[in-house]
């Protein structure tokens, strides 16, 4: 519902112009009546508002809720393409409409965690008077205020409070941050505001307060439904808190919420994993994230365990866990829309889709990474360096965005890497517009054997699977639209399971891609 | 400036037309400097030294006493005047590998003040990175020293030679340019196989041999025993052998004195027409072709117009040899206007014994590889190559080498100095295939072996190998030779405790880890030397390897039929270990013709996914994937399978015990 409203707003007014523009993307964009400062911004705006048109033009009648088909189209939008970037040299920065806020505080560090966090001590469930939190939130707000941007920024469509454990931060401070964001960039009425919350760090009252502030999506860090496993991976909460937290979220009526699980924990058996999946489904969240335990250097697990060796599950077992999740969740009507994400129809995480579409986003806070003007900028991970950074930002000594020309090879790798993580896959038409047909053909050629082996799927415009019976080079130019490859994606679960292998193959192709200047000319 | 070089001098020159102007300028400018860089003006300052950037100083004739190194060295830094032919000594140092040739050469340079103390470093003449790293000499090196003996200045020309079997070709070339040789023998190890081989080479060239016992400072040194050994084994009079320790500087002056006193000067032939024998040349990107030659007859001076008798090219010595091909090693230089009647006997051309395919990992590097090989060849006449195409590997070259070390070194130099990334196929020898129709085909590439139906028989090269070993290891070494299809020829005790074993065995069995095995089975005490003695018919067959059902040409090997099964089994096992798991299951098979004789299968990767919460920070993940992609780049795709470089050498890595 939310989604639909938001899109309708834009499409109602812009539909006519978009029709024109869709004929040729680079025709006189000045005809746009929207308040845009330059042609290029216009182009950008167009991009970000382009999405709904497909939906609007879709011949199917609209049900109340978004159909899955609709969702696919919704995301058929736009990676900012190189043609834009390269013609953007002296142009203003494209303003993001997503913001990530890092709230690094945790009670303690989990054994697998290598994120940028600040451990407060296990007793700290009340943090309203903790000077570390108060100070940090102040710096955070100063960073937001000091960020350079266009005169008329687009209001934010998504805000994501990640951590750390954002739910440890008192609502009053969350409110400060949201207010600052609202003042600085504006915040869409229908914006998706997500917050990562850990069992045992919030009660009914806190949840309600957060909701009143506008938090409308909760990502609940359950990780496992077994007391033993929670303990062994160093979580600060037990099973009881997990059930409590689920009850609170449901009682408060959070419509859009996610349960986050970790697969392949030490000592995890397939019975335990099945139980976790079953209990997850019983809790009826609209979204489930299934992350895979990654043994990172420097973590406690990194010191204790070797991947694939007891007590960690073997590679085969771990693959089975992944397949189990895919099977069980899909049977329960969850769409496997990204390598580690599942959702009920229409409940994709909009904020995460910003990442996967390689769209720009702000990021604020310790160690966070933003993407503005094609530049990925990571903030310092140490508190004193971060505060120095904020001071420099205020004094204009640092600019966390870039207006430099971005290397198109880099952009191409990003687009491939991110989009192949999604079920929607890589939109070849758009990719070709940005990077030329030679690269698309090389990718098609590259993946053909993997279509045969069942790791990759080629889809036509209507997202119907294309069978490849012979080595046919006209896949891209096929006049018969049923035979023309419009998308390529990794299969679920076999392709997803080997995504590193498959994506790194594409990296090789992009790396040896030599004629990109001419390809770009061809594209423009 | 017009320094005249007399007959018998060794020396080097610099050329290329483009460099002429600059060269002249430098000569002018540097004439009085004691840092000669370019050869011609350095000819009368008279030390040569190749490729090194360090400057070289020469010792002047002086009346100082020779009793202490310091004054000797001081003298060495003065400039030098011409010496009469009777005061010239040309000599080489010959020895078994690791008996201390290069250390002794260092010491001689140091003591004569040729290289100032502060610029001295170990293995001064080994200036290739690779030589320094491995502690071996690959290329012969020449240096000119000044030494005063009984108040008379002498000019000593030293050629340092490589010790490894593969490079005996280099040794023979340098010996032909000398009148004498220092035979260096490790005072604890005694006579080794290479000592013998090199001494015989020197005797063939009628050189005066001065036996030197090195490393007498070591606790295990037994000079008396070793002297006896030399006398018995080589038949050389050791009554005036010099005891020295190059490392400690003991006996160095004795050696210098002996060189002057015992090695004859070159014959005075300065009145004859010029004949100079080229014994080495190399290409310097800044200075053009640099030639090392020995003036046998006549004289040569700057500005002379010269004529290369074999190639017929004419050039000015200071200026214009265009390519190294014009100044082939073994050619004779003579005056353009006063030509010699006949050229000097050159050198036998080096015959490559071991062949392998070199393919660029990135097909686009083919042209670069060709250029690099050409440049290396200029410097290394023994390297042979011709283009080769393979369905699996694309375009590359079939290259011939003197031996495995040579092959390894060329490959490493290509990768290092020319920044190429290469795939090397397993080395092979040259087989002679007698066909049914009477033709004889030479085949160094297993994948090009004529079809079984077309061939009548296959002959393989056979070597005579001589191993010297303490008697304790006779058993293990005989076992080794038997395993490698060796035919026992002879065993004799050269002393009470050391024996010499002679075998004839197929060269193909020696290519590979024979030398390593020899060393490991004798705990490092045995040494070996081999010569090719001809071809012999043998029951050989081609062993094919199929990966994922596709025949992989570069992995094919020619093996003796009796060994086919064990090699096949070992090879499939080794490949299974070397090839990374892929996205699908892969059968690896060894076949004789259509018959599969061994089979392994590589299981598929089950899972390789980063399903972790990364937020917007994809940089780390991207880095990881890039690294993964980089790893794939180092591999060759055979059909759908990525095969790493090491796999193509798998046949070499088979543990022979398994076979």
């Amino acid at each position: 519902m939310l989604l639909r409203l938001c899109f309708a707003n834009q499409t109602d007014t812009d539909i006519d112009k978009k029709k024109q523009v869709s004929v040729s993307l680079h025709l006189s964009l000045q005809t746009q009546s929207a308040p845009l400062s330059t042609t290029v911004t216009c182009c950008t705006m167009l991009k970000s508002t382009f999405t709904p048109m497909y939906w609007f033009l879709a011949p199917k009648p609209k049900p109340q809720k978004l159909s899955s088909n609709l969702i696919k189209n919704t995301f058929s939008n736009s990676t900012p393409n190189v043609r834009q970037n390269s013609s953007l040299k002296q142009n203003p920065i494209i303003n993001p409409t997503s913001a990530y806020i890092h709230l690094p505080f945790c009670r303690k560090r989990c054994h697998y965690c290598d994120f940028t966090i600040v451990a407060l001590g296990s007793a700290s469930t009340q943090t309203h008077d903790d000077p570390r939190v108060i100070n940090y939130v102040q710096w955070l707000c100063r960073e937001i205020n000091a960020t350079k941007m266009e005169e008329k920024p687009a209001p934010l469509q998504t805000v994501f409070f990640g951590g750390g454990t954002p739910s440890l931060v008192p609502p009053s401070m969350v409110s400060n941050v949201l207010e600052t964001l609202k003042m600085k960039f504006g915040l869409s009425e229908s914006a998706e505001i997500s917050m990562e919350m850990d069992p045992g760090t919030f009660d009914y009252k806190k949840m309600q307060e957060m909701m009143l502030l506008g938090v409308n999506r909760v990502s609940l860090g359950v990780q496992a439904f077994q007391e033993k496993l929670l303990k062994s991976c160093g979580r600060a909460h037990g099973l009881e808190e997990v059930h409590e937290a689920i009850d609170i979220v449901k009682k408060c009526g959070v419509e859009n919420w996610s349960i986050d699980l970790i697969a392949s924990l030490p000592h995890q058996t397939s019975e335990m994993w099945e139980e976790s999946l079953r209990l997850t489904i019983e809790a009826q969240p609209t979204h489930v994230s299934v992350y895979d335990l990654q043994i990172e250097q420097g973590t406690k697990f990194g010191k204790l365990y070797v991947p694939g060796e007891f007590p960690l599950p073997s590679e085969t077992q771990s693959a089975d866990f992944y397949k189990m999740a895919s099977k069980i969740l899909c049977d329960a009507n969850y769409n496997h829309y990204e390598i580690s994400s599942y959702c009920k129809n229409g409940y994709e995480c909009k904020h995460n889709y910003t990442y996967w579409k390689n769209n720009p986003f702000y990021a604020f806070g310790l160690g966070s990474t933003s993407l503005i003007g094609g530049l990925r900028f990571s903030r310092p991970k140490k508190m004193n360096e971060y505060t120095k950074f904020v001071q420099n930002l205020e004094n204009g000594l640092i600019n966390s965005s870039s207006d430099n020309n971005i290397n198109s090879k880099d952009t191409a790798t990003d687009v491939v890497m991110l989009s192949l993580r999604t079920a929607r896959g890589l939109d070849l038409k758009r990719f070709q517009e940005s990077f030329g047909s030679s690269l698309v053909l090389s990718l098609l050629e590259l993946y053909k054997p993997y279509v045969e082996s069942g790791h990759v799927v080629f889809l036509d415009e209507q997202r119907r699977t294309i069978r490849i019976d012979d080595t046919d080079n006209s896949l891209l130019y096929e006049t018969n639209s049923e035979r023309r490859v419009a998308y390529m994606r990794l299969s679920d679960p076999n392709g997803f399971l080997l995504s590193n292998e498959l994506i790194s193959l594409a990296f090789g192709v992009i790396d040896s891609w030599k004629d990109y200047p001419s390809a770009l000319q061809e594209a423009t | 400036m017009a320094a005249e070089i007399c007959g018998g001098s060794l020396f080097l020159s610099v050329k290329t037309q483009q460099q002429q102007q600059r060269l002249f300028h430098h000569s002018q400018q540097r004439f009085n400097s004691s840092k000669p860089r370019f050869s011609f003006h350095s000819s009368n300052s008279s030390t040569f030294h190749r490729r090194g950037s360090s400057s070289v100083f020469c010792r002047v004739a002086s009346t100082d006493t020779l009793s202490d190194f310091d004054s000797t060295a001081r003298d060495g830094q003065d400039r030098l005047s011409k010496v009469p032919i009777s005061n010239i000594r040309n000599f080489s140092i010959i020895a078994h590998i690791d008996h201390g040739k290069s250390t002794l050469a260092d010491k001689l340079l140091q003591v004569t003040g040729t290289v100032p103390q502060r610029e001295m470093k170990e293995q001064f003449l080994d200036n290739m990175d690779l030589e320094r790293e491995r502690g071996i000499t690959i290329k012969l090196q020449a240096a000119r020293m000044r030494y005063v003996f009984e108040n008379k200045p002498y000019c000593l020309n030293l050629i340092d030679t490589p010790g490894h079997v593969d490079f005996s070709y280099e040794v023979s070339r340098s010996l032909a340019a000398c009148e004498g040789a220092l035979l260096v023998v490790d005072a604890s190890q005694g006579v080794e196989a290479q000592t013998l081989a090199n001494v015989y080479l020197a005797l063939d060239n009628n050189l005066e041999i001065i036996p030197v016992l090195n490393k007498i400072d070591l606790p295990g040194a037994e000079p008396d025993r070793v002297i006896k050994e030399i006398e018995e084994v080589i038949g050389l009079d050791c009554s005036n052998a010099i005891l020295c320790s190059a490392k400690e500087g003991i006996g160095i002056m004795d050696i210098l004195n002996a060189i002057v006193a015992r090695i004859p000067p070159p014959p005075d032939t300065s009145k004859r027409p010029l004949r100079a024998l080229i014994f080495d040349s190399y290409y310097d990107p800044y200075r053009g072709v640099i030639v090392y030659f020995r003036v046998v007859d006549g004289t040569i001076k700057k500005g002379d117009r010269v004529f290369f008798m074999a190639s017929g090219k004419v050039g000015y010595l200071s200026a214009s040899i265009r390519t190294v091909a014009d100044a082939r090693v073994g050619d004779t230089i003579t005056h353009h206007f006063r030509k010699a009647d006949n050229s000097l006997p050159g050198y036998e051309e080096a015959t490559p014994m071991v062949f392998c395919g070199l393919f660029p990992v990135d097909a686009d590097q083919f042209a670069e590889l060709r250029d690099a090989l050409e440049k290396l060849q200029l410097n290394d006449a023994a390297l042979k190559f011709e283009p080769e195409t393979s369905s699996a590997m694309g375009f590359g070259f079939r290259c011939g080498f003197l031996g495995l070390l040579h092959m390894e070194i060329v490959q490493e130099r290509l990768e290092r100095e020319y920044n190429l990334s290469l795939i090397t196929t397993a080395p092979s020898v040259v087989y002679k295939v007698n066909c049914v129709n009477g033709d004889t085909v030479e085949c160094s590439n297993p994948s090009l072996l004529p079809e079984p139906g077309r061939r009548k028989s296959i002959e393989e090269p056979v070597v005579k190998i001589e191993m010297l070993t303490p008697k304790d290891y006779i058993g293990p070494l005989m076992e080794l030779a038997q395993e490698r299809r060796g035919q026992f020829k002879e065993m004799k005790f050269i002393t009470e405790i050391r024996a010499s074993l002679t075998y004839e065995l197929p060269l193909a069995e020696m290519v590979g880890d024979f030398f390593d095995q020899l060393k490991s089975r004798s705990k490092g005490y045995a040494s070996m030397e081999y010569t090719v003695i001809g071809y012999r018919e043998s029951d050989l067959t081609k062993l094919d390897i199929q990966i994922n059902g596709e025949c992989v040409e570069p992995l094919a090997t020619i093996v003796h039929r009796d060994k086919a099964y064990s090699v096949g089994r070992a090879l499939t096992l080794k490949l299974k270990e070397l090839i990374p798991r892929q996205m699908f299951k892969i059968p690896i098979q060894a076949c004789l013709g259509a018959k599969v004789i061994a089979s392994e299968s590589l299981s598929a990767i089950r899972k390789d996914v980063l399903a972790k919460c990364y937020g917007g920070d994809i940089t780390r993940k991207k880095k990881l994937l890039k690294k993964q992609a980089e790893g794939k780049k180092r591999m060759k795709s055979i059909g759908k399978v990525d095969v790493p470089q090491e796999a193509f050498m798998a046949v070499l890595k088979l543990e022979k015990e398994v076979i």
Side-chain angles (χ1 to χ4, degrees), chain B residues 13-17 19 287-289 291 316-321:
Chain B
S13 65
V14 176
K15 32 237 53 172
T16 63
Q17 264 166 335
Q19 295 287 336
R287 297 182 284 169
V289 177
V291 174
Y316 295 92
L317 267 182
S318 55
S320 65
I321 301 172

Side-chain angles (χ1 to χ4, degrees), chain A residues 191-450:
Chain A
E192 173 193 277
I193 303 175
S194 310
M195 180 177 278
E196 289 179 346
M197 303 183 85
D198 272 7
T201 61
F202 64 97
D203 52 16
Y204 185 84
K205 181 168 161 272
K206 194 169 189 179
M207 184 68 249
Q208 278 210 314
E209 282 173 14
M210 293 290 191
M211 285 178 77
L212 281 174
L213 297 174
V215 174
N216 52 23
R217 187 176 178 279
V218 168
S219 182
L220 195 61
V222 171
Q223 320 308 4
F225 278 94
Q226 293 75 25
E227 192 73 56
K228 185 182 145 201
L229 292 189
L230 289 174
K231 202 159 197 171
S232 74
C233 63
R235 295 291 291 174
H237 61 84
L239 191 55
E240 201 180 316
E241 283 94 336
V242 166
H243 290 300
E244 259 173 40
I246 292 173
D247 284 346
I248 296 168
V249 171
K250 293 179 89 163
K251 221 180 271 170
C252 285
V254 181
E255 188 206 341
N256 187 357
W257 67 290
S258 175
I259 286 185
D260 299 350
L261 297 176
I262 300 182
S264 301
L265 287 167
H267 302 287
Q268 195 172 34
T269 62
S270 55
E271 290 74 34
M272 292 179 189
W273 184 231
E274 201 174 340
E275 182 187 45
S276 286
L277 290 168
R278 184 172 49 81
L279 292 171
T280 299
I281 292 166
E282 278 171 18
Q284 293 180 307
T286 48
H287 189 284
V288 182
S289 293
V290 179
Y291 299 121
D292 224 27
L293 181 68
Q294 216 81 53
I295 302 296
E296 303 287 358
Q297 268 188 339
T299 62
K300 187 165 181 191
F301 276 2
K303 278 174 220 141
L304 289 175
Y305 307 129
V306 180
E309 284 178 21
F310 185 82
L312 294 179
S314 69
E315 188 190 293
T316 312
Q317 251 178 317
S318 177
D320 288 343
F321 286 176
Y322 188 90
K323 286 182 193 165
M324 250 164 87
S326 176
K327 173 89 176 57
I328 293 176
L329 290 171
C330 289
D331 285 351
N333 258 334
Y334 287 91
N335 306 324
H336 194 179
Y337 73 105
E338 191 261 351
I339 279 180
S340 48
S341 312
Y342 299 80
C343 72
K344 293 279 186 186
N345 282 347
Y347 287 97
E348 285 82 358
C349 175
K350 284 205 274 170
H351 182 84
N352 283 345
Y353 246 111
T354 312
Y355 303 151
W356 300 325
K357 284 188 283 184
N358 204 26
N359 282 348
F361 53 89
Y362 295 112
F364 304 106
L366 195 67
S368 63
T369 302
S370 56
L371 174 64
I372 306 170
L375 177 84
R376 280 182 206 280
F377 182 88
S378 295
R379 281 144 198 79
K381 289 181 168 27
K382 287 194 177 132
M383 197 59 88
N384 54 351
E385 286 168 27
Y386 171 69
T387 56
K388 228 171 272 161
F389 157 78
V390 174
Q391 280 168 330
N392 288 336
L393 195 68
E394 285 172 333
N395 300 332
L397 298 173
I398 292 183
N399 192 352
S400 57
S401 62
S402 150
D403 44 16
N404 289 330
N405 207 3
I406 301 300
N407 177 344
S408 57
K409 266 193 189 184
D410 248 18
T411 317
T413 20
D414 287 359
V415 170
V416 167
M417 169 178 139
L418 293 165
S419 57
L420 287 184
R421 285 184 74 84
T422 64
R424 186 175 170 275
L426 182 63
D427 180 339
L428 295 180
K429 201 173 146 203
R430 260 171 209 291
F431 196 72
Q432 182 179 355
E433 280 169 9
S434 306
F435 306 104
S437 56
S438 71
L439 190 55
V440 175
L441 285 171
S442 318
L443 287 176
L444 284 169
E445 205 50 48
L446 170 76
Y447 283 135
K448 243 192 235 167
Y450 301 96

Side-chain angles (χ1 to χ4, degrees), chain A residues 114-115 291-292 294 296 315-316 318 323 369 376 414 421 496-501 504 511 514, chain B residues 364 581 583 606-613 615-618 620-622 625 628-629 632-633:
Chain A
D114 69 335
F115 287 131
Y291 299 121
D292 224 27
Q294 216 81 53
E296 303 287 358
E315 188 190 293
T316 312
S318 177
K323 286 182 193 165
T369 302
R376 280 182 206 280
D414 287 359
R421 285 184 74 84
F496 279 160
L497 260 174
L498 296 178
S499 57
N500 285 355
E501 282 286 312
S504 62
D511 192 48
K514 295 203 170 73
Chain B
D364 296 345
R581 292 188 305 148
M583 281 180 261
R606 299 301 308 274
K607 176 167 169 261
D608 185 9
V609 55
L610 282 175
K612 186 185 167 177
C613 178
D617 189 3
I618 60 163
R620 233 172 91 192
K621 184 176 154 54
K622 195 170 161 187
L625 290 172
Q628 204 163 338
K632 288 188 193 300
K633 236 169 106 185

Side-chain angles (χ1 to χ4, degrees), chain B residues 355-423:
Chain B
F355 287 79
C356 78
L358 283 181
F359 296 86
V361 172
D362 181 356
D364 296 345
Q365 285 193 326
F366 176 75
E368 283 169 60
L369 174 59
R370 189 186 46 219
D371 291 351
L373 280 169
E374 276 168 5
K375 282 197 188 120
L376 278 189
Q377 197 181 35
L378 298 182
N379 212 319
D380 181 354
L383 172 67
K384 299 283 186 307
F385 61 91
E386 57 182 40
E388 180 186 2
T389 19
S390 142
S391 55
M393 318 283 277
F395 291 96
F397 291 92
R398 193 88 198 153
C399 304
F401 307 95
L402 295 169
L404 271 194
L405 178 68
H406 187 208
M407 177 177 109
E408 211 175 296
I409 280 161
V410 168
Q411 188 196 345
E412 201 162 331
R413 288 185 66 189
L414 286 170
E415 297 212 328
R416 214 188 264 207
E417 295 169 27
Y418 297 91
N419 204 16
L420 296 164
S421 84
L422 298 174
I423 287 180

Side-chain angles (χ1 to χ4, degrees), chain B residues 131-203:
Chain B
E131 290 179 317
R132 304 191 65 82
E133 268 169 36
R134 294 183 174 220
I136 54 169
T137 306
I138 297 168
K139 287 291 291 177
L140 62 88
Q141 303 288 345
R144 183 160 176 168
M145 296 175 287
R146 188 73 171 169
Y147 181 67
V148 175
F149 179 63
E150 290 171 351
N151 286 342
K152 271 186 278 180
Y154 286 86
C155 164
L156 311 183
N157 293 314
L158 154 72
I159 307 180
D160 185 18
T161 59
H164 194 276
V165 218
D166 281 10
F167 302 108
S168 52
Y169 176 69
E170 295 269 321
V171 180
S172 68
R173 285 200 337 242
S174 34
L175 291 182
C178 301
E179 278 81 35
L182 298 179
L183 171 67
V184 177
V185 181
D186 186 314
S188 54
Q189 306 224 335
V191 174
E192 297 284 3
Q194 277 291 293
T195 318
L196 285 178
N198 288 332
V199 165
Y200 294 141
L201 272 177
L203 291 174

